Amino acid sequence: MTLYLLKRLAVLVASTAVAGVVVFAFMALLPGDPAEIALGVNATPEAVAALREQFGTDRPPVVQFLDWFGGLAQGDFGTSYVTSAPIGPQISDRLGVTAVLVLGGMAVAVAIAVPLGTFAAVHHRNPLGAAISAVSQIGIAIPAFLAGILLVFVFAVKAQALPSGGYVPIADSPGEWLRSLLLPWLSLGLVQGAVLTRYVRSAVLDVMREDYLRTARAKGRGSTGALWRHGLRNASIPVVTVLGLQLATLLIGAVVVERVFVIPGLGDLLLNGVAGRDLLLVQGVVMVLVAAVLLINFVVDVAYHLLDPRLR
């Protein structure tokens, strides 16, 4: 197991380095000079050259990349081209908000998918089980931002039970913090829960057809007891893989949901950086998102290895 972890860590580090090269190259190919954007169209060539030297963009691309990626390894994301503020603190302040949003959305998705998917599998010949499958299929077709708009219309505009947007830090008011995140959590979790329900149903159905489960029932365990004791862990193996992919999807979906609900997370920071042409800020946020996806994949690989003893 230790050797496997070391191999996966080596793959994680190598993948992060390759991702850094791709992100840097993509941002470098975008049109526009950060110095010219910062100074405006009326800037003199001398002023532009001086600012390029200050930003370090007059150096060879390889030197710029090594300086930037080496800074990332030390937690230094550089300084914003537009505001001259350090980028690292801006990202760290927003990262916690996005993490809470994504994890809360995933908790909602799991809370919906596991019981409903299991019920739909056990009662797959029952009209109620078929209805759950049909509703989950409809949920897959609804994007998260549309679900957010519909939830705002129902719970904020019509019922006036929850705020339509905004974010309250938990230190200021835990109750208002929870109220400000309920709709964003639901908008992410309902859509991903519909997707996950289909996978849970399929995994449980496959397990229910296995010989060892029929043997457990023949030895006197009821269908529910046999499934709970022998089936769910085996059914969770493919679901964990999908769960990792769903977490990555939630992370990307949070970019849009944060904009819909005016939540100051990484997505909001990214879109503000794009609007302000702050390329170094955008580069840093994209790299954090890519690294988060790679880390999620690493955790899923390790969890898969722990759940399936055949791999050990």
Side-chain angles (χ1 to χ4, degrees):
M1 187 65 187
T2 303
L3 181 60
Y4 175 79
L5 282 175
L6 291 174
K7 288 181 178 179
R8 297 311 304 170
L9 279 172
V11 171
L12 175 64
V13 172
S15 300
T16 305
V18 172
V21 173
V22 173
V23 170
F24 180 85
F26 178 77
M27 298 303 298
L29 291 174
L30 291 178
D33 186 337
E36 293 179 353
I37 294 170
L39 293 174
V41 294
N42 297 322
T44 63
E46 293 78 12
V48 171
L51 194 58
R52 281 179 186 149
E53 183 178 358
Q54 180 182 333
F55 288 162
T57 55
D58 59 336
R59 298 173 298 168
V62 175
V63 177
Q64 293 183 51
F65 169 76
L66 292 176
D67 183 53
W68 172 71
F69 199 74
L72 292 184
Q74 302 173 19
D76 181 11
F77 286 79
T79 303
S80 168
Y81 291 149
V82 177
T83 63
S84 299
I87 295 172
Q90 297 181 62
I91 292 178
S92 61
D93 290 344
R94 308 288 189 104
L95 183 59
V97 178
T98 298
V100 169
L101 179 61
V102 170
L103 292 177
M106 180 52 70
V108 171
V110 171
I112 292 170
V114 173
L116 289 184
T118 304
F119 183 89
V122 173
H123 302 278
H124 63 280
R125 293 189 178 90
N126 187 292
L128 187 54
I132 292 173
S133 298
V135 171
S136 67
Q137 192 67 39
I138 295 172
I140 292 173
I142 301 175
F145 76 89
L146 180 57
I149 293 171
L150 293 174
L151 289 170
V152 167
F153 179 75
V154 173
F155 292 101
V157 177
K158 291 295 184 182
Q160 296 185 353
L162 293 170
S164 61
Y167 176 77
V168 178
I170 189 172
D172 294 350
S173 173
E176 290 301 315
W177 170 81
L178 183 61
R179 292 182 75 245
S180 69
L181 285 173
L182 278 177
L183 289 184
W185 280 342
L186 286 173
S187 66
L188 286 172
L190 288 175
V191 175
Q192 298 304 323
V195 177
L196 200 58
T197 297
R198 304 286 297 178
Y199 284 101
V200 172
R201 178 184 179 276
S202 177
V204 173
L205 274 175
D206 288 342
V207 166
M208 287 173 63
R209 300 188 183 104
E210 293 291 339
D211 291 338
Y212 62 83
L213 213 61
R214 284 197 292 269
T215 302
R217 290 196 296 267
K219 290 172 68 176
R221 283 190 176 270
S223 297
T224 304
L227 182 62
W228 180 263
R229 177 67 178 85
H230 301 287
L232 288 183
R233 180 174 179 178
N234 290 306
S236 68
I237 293 172
V239 173
V240 165
T241 303
V242 176
L243 202 62
L245 298 174
Q246 294 298 98
L247 264 175
T249 304
L250 277 172
L251 191 61
I252 306 304
V255 173
V256 180
V257 170
E258 285 174 4
R259 204 62 166 184
V260 171
F261 290 98
V262 199
I263 296 176
L266 280 181
D268 183 67
L269 183 64
L270 175 64
L271 294 176
N272 288 338
V274 171
R277 301 283 295 170
D278 196 345
L279 299 183
L280 193 59
L281 174 62
V282 172
Q283 187 171 294
V285 174
V286 170
M287 189 61 211
V288 168
L289 293 174
V290 170
V293 171
L294 293 174
L295 183 60
I296 290 169
N297 289 334
F298 168 77
V299 173
V300 168
D301 285 343
V302 174
Y304 196 89
H305 204 79
L306 291 173
L307 283 171
D308 193 346
R310 293 170 300 181
L311 297 177
R312 300 196 298 274

